[in-house]
Amino acid sequence: MLGEDFSITQLAVPAVSALIAFLAYTSQYFFLHFESVPLTRDETWKINIFALCIWICYYRTCFVDPGRLPKAEERPKPKEQEGDALGGRQRWCLRCEAYKPPRAHHCKTCKRCIPKMDHHCPWTSNCVSHFTLPHFMRFLFYATVGMFYLETLLWQRASFVWKNSHLPSYLGPTLGQLIHLFILLVVNTLTAFALFVLLLRSLWAIASNTTTIETWEIERHATLVRRARVLGGYLEGPGGIRVRIKKQEYPYDIGICANIKQSMGGSANFISWFWPLAATPDRRSGWEFETNDFEDPGVSWPPPDPDRIPMPASARPPSNVSMPTYATIQDEIDAFNRRKQEDMKRFQQSSGLQRRKPFHNRYKKGDYAQRDSEESETDSEGYSDEGEESWRNAEGERLRDFGVDEEAEFYDEEDIPLGVLIERRKQHKSAN
């Protein structure tokens, strides 16, 4: 029996490897035995060189570490620590219990924040990230070009068979060879077409310096801007918090040449972009990125999203109630965390979930400003899969379709632990 931890995704890399081997090597076996149109020496060299490049790039795409958060002492200080901007927007990963750097996202499969995560690729069982994107692009390039070259060789043999179909069967290829040729043509044509489409899409992405997830974020932001336009420029978050929504330019598009250079590891050497053994990007990079300065320096990406706020702020106590005092800061932090957990439990018991209904449901019913606990719809298990985090783009994709941990990703704003905020304030005061 298969182990309990076995997953069908574990077959992805062996399946792709088998496909590469089938197309690269059984095709040569077919050509060598197809006496009517034999394979030339040059054609043999080209097929095997393409195959070698594909193997190298695919191996590196699968097994190069996509990156992880650096140690606390190695992390760049958040911009909010500069000046007096201690209360600015800052993304916080509840899973990693650390600041989430720009363009990083928490992968539900790798179980960590990945720098400049594009998506978790099921066919490589690895994340396409700042460190693996150059290898991924080279793999797509060589696989596409190599398969198109193989396509020309296959069609040469197929056209010869068609032109000589009137001859007696004993003068042509055997039935087994015909079946082999047909299977090679079908598999290679479909695979080459799919990879060609993916290559074109990936080339557009690196030319505009956008990841798949950021394309989703751009579309999500456009949706929020349209919503806010008919509601006076503001949208309401949990607890009636009003968030101003205005059009924000994507900050990481810094020009086509600079975009490609950054995406391909930061090297300006055109040859290295295609070299299968090119070095992986420096591990010290990937946590800060150049911006185009179309927006003010304090504006961050992704733009504000009221539905990313996980919980309403706790209500202030009445003026006649005295707040408890604590012997140490750690005691205050522990008490704060206990209150937060209790608030979360009460909130879940009253509402049955942590999620908000889709915007159109709230807006149509006229109760847009009500608390989440009064406007939630749940399924039989008390869990709604139709909240705003299930929002889909024009292609029907949501965050989890890219391998992202939705709860860690969607609810990552303004939820920094009190202890971290106190430590930041201490560092700010000592620096001054």
Side-chain angles (χ1 to χ4, degrees), residues 189-344:
T189 302
L190 294 177
T191 306
F193 177 76
L195 287 179
F196 179 67
V197 172
L198 182 57
L199 176 63
L200 289 181
R201 183 171 180 174
S202 300
L203 288 173
W204 175 86
I206 66 171
S208 58
N209 205 1
T210 56
T211 65
T212 306
I213 297 173
E214 286 166 346
T215 302
W216 185 95
E217 291 174 341
I218 292 171
E219 229 177 299
R220 167 75 179 175
H221 177 55
T223 299
L224 294 178
V225 171
R226 288 195 299 270
R227 293 176 180 177
R229 189 175 293 126
V230 299
L231 294 172
Y234 289 85
L235 295 178
E236 293 194 13
I241 300 172
R242 301 186 75 216
V243 180
R244 186 183 178 190
I245 305 294
K246 62 178 182 178
K247 182 175 174 54
Q248 186 173 316
E249 295 296 331
Y250 178 71
Y252 299 115
D253 187 354
I254 53 177
I256 293 179
C257 291
N259 291 340
I260 298 176
K261 174 184 173 182
Q262 184 189 100
S263 299
M264 297 304 294
S267 173
N269 186 349
F270 177 79
I271 302 299
S272 70
W273 297 352
F274 298 91
W275 179 235
L277 298 176
T280 299
D282 191 331
R283 291 291 173 178
R284 294 171 295 181
S285 64
W287 304 108
E288 293 181 340
F289 297 91
E290 182 181 353
T291 58
N292 51 31
D293 296 327
F294 289 162
E295 299 286 351
D296 296 332
V299 176
S300 59
W301 186 271
D305 185 339
D307 287 300
R308 295 180 85 128
I309 302 173
M311 280 286 292
S314 300
R316 294 183 179 180
S319 58
N320 60 345
V321 177
S322 59
M323 293 296 292
T325 57
Y326 302 95
T328 64
I329 291 179
Q330 187 59 45
D331 291 339
E332 183 177 357
I333 294 172
D334 293 340
F336 174 84
N337 289 332
R338 285 195 299 272
R339 291 196 303 271
K340 185 176 179 180
Q341 292 176 358
E342 292 171 359
D343 289 343
M344 177 67 77

Side-chain angles (χ1 to χ4, degrees), residues 335-364:
F336 174 84
N337 289 332
R338 285 195 299 272
R339 291 196 303 271
K340 185 176 179 180
Q341 292 176 358
E342 292 171 359
D343 289 343
M344 177 67 77
K345 289 179 181 178
R346 286 195 296 269
F347 180 74
Q348 291 176 345
Q349 290 171 357
S350 63
S351 64
L353 54 99
Q354 303 175 28
R355 307 169 190 276
R356 306 181 76 206
K357 288 196 306 183
F359 174 84
H360 62 275
N361 288 347
R362 288 178 272 149
Y363 182 68
K364 286 180 180 178

Side-chain angles (χ1 to χ4, degrees), residues 355-411:
R355 307 169 190 276
R356 306 181 76 206
K357 288 196 306 183
F359 174 84
H360 62 275
N361 288 347
R362 288 178 272 149
Y363 182 68
K364 286 180 180 178
K365 292 184 179 181
D367 56 355
Y368 177 66
Q370 294 183 14
R371 286 180 58 109
D372 294 6
S373 59
E374 299 173 354
E375 58 185 21
S376 303
E377 291 180 352
T378 65
D379 58 18
S380 59
E381 297 181 355
Y383 181 93
S384 172
D385 196 39
E386 299 302 327
E388 277 297 302
E389 73 276 26
S390 68
W391 182 87
R392 299 176 184 271
N393 61 11
E395 297 181 6
E397 299 165 325
R398 53 189 285 183
L399 278 175
R400 71 181 181 188
D401 296 326
F402 310 126
V404 173
D405 185 331
E406 280 186 338
E407 293 204 6
E409 180 65 25
F410 204 83
Y411 302 115

Side-chain angles (χ1 to χ4, degrees), residues 55-330:
W55 281 120
I56 294 173
C57 295
Y58 184 64
Y59 176 85
R60 303 186 79 187
T61 302
C62 293
F63 297 107
V64 167
D65 192 321
R68 61 185 70 241
L69 282 172
K71 297 179 181 179
E73 59 272 14
E74 299 174 353
R75 296 173 192 166
K77 293 183 178 180
K79 293 182 179 181
E80 285 75 16
Q81 291 188 12
E82 300 174 1
D84 294 325
L86 289 175
R89 288 179 67 233
Q90 174 65 56
R91 301 166 68 211
W92 176 265
C93 182
L94 296 175
R95 301 283 193 264
C96 298
E97 296 185 346
Y99 289 107
K100 187 182 294 181
R103 312 186 78 177
H105 305 277
H106 193 93
C107 176
K108 64 183 178 184
T109 303
C110 298
K111 300 188 184 304
R112 63 179 186 265
C113 283
I114 303 296
K116 194 184 175 183
M117 177 180 173
D118 186 280
H119 67 286
H120 187 91
C121 180
W123 300 109
T124 62
S125 294
N126 199 11
C127 271
V128 177
S129 70
H130 174 73
F131 298 108
T132 59
L133 178 62
H135 306 311
F136 182 73
M137 292 301 303
R138 283 188 280 268
F139 166 68
L140 287 181
F141 172 77
Y142 283 112
T144 303
V145 175
M147 287 182 181
F148 272 111
Y149 178 68
L150 179 60
E151 189 80 358
T152 61
L153 300 181
L154 292 172
W155 276 107
Q156 287 177 5
R157 277 70 183 177
S159 61
F160 175 85
V161 172
W162 180 260
K163 290 178 181 177
N164 295 277
S165 59
H166 61 284
L167 297 176
S169 59
Y170 62 85
L171 295 177
T174 64
L175 178 61
Q177 288 179 322
L178 290 176
I179 294 174
H180 192 181
L181 175 60
F182 176 76
I183 294 174
L184 283 171
L185 268 173
V186 172
V187 174
N188 191 74
T189 302
L190 294 177
T191 306
F193 177 76
L195 287 179
F196 179 67
V197 172
L198 182 57
L199 176 63
L200 289 181
R201 183 171 180 174
S202 300
L203 288 173
W204 175 86
I206 66 171
S208 58
N209 205 1
T210 56
T211 65
T212 306
I213 297 173
E214 286 166 346
T215 302
W216 185 95
E217 291 174 341
I218 292 171
E219 229 177 299
R220 167 75 179 175
H221 177 55
T223 299
L224 294 178
V225 171
R226 288 195 299 270
R227 293 176 180 177
R229 189 175 293 126
V230 299
L231 294 172
Y234 289 85
L235 295 178
E236 293 194 13
I241 300 172
R242 301 186 75 216
V243 180
R244 186 183 178 190
I245 305 294
K246 62 178 182 178
K247 182 175 174 54
Q248 186 173 316
E249 295 296 331
Y250 178 71
Y252 299 115
D253 187 354
I254 53 177
I256 293 179
C257 291
N259 291 340
I260 298 176
K261 174 184 173 182
Q262 184 189 100
S263 299
M264 297 304 294
S267 173
N269 186 349
F270 177 79
I271 302 299
S272 70
W273 297 352
F274 298 91
W275 179 235
L277 298 176
T280 299
D282 191 331
R283 291 291 173 178
R284 294 171 295 181
S285 64
W287 304 108
E288 293 181 340
F289 297 91
E290 182 181 353
T291 58
N292 51 31
D293 296 327
F294 289 162
E295 299 286 351
D296 296 332
V299 176
S300 59
W301 186 271
D305 185 339
D307 287 300
R308 295 180 85 128
I309 302 173
M311 280 286 292
S314 300
R316 294 183 179 180
S319 58
N320 60 345
V321 177
S322 59
M323 293 296 292
T325 57
Y326 302 95
T328 64
I329 291 179
Q330 187 59 45

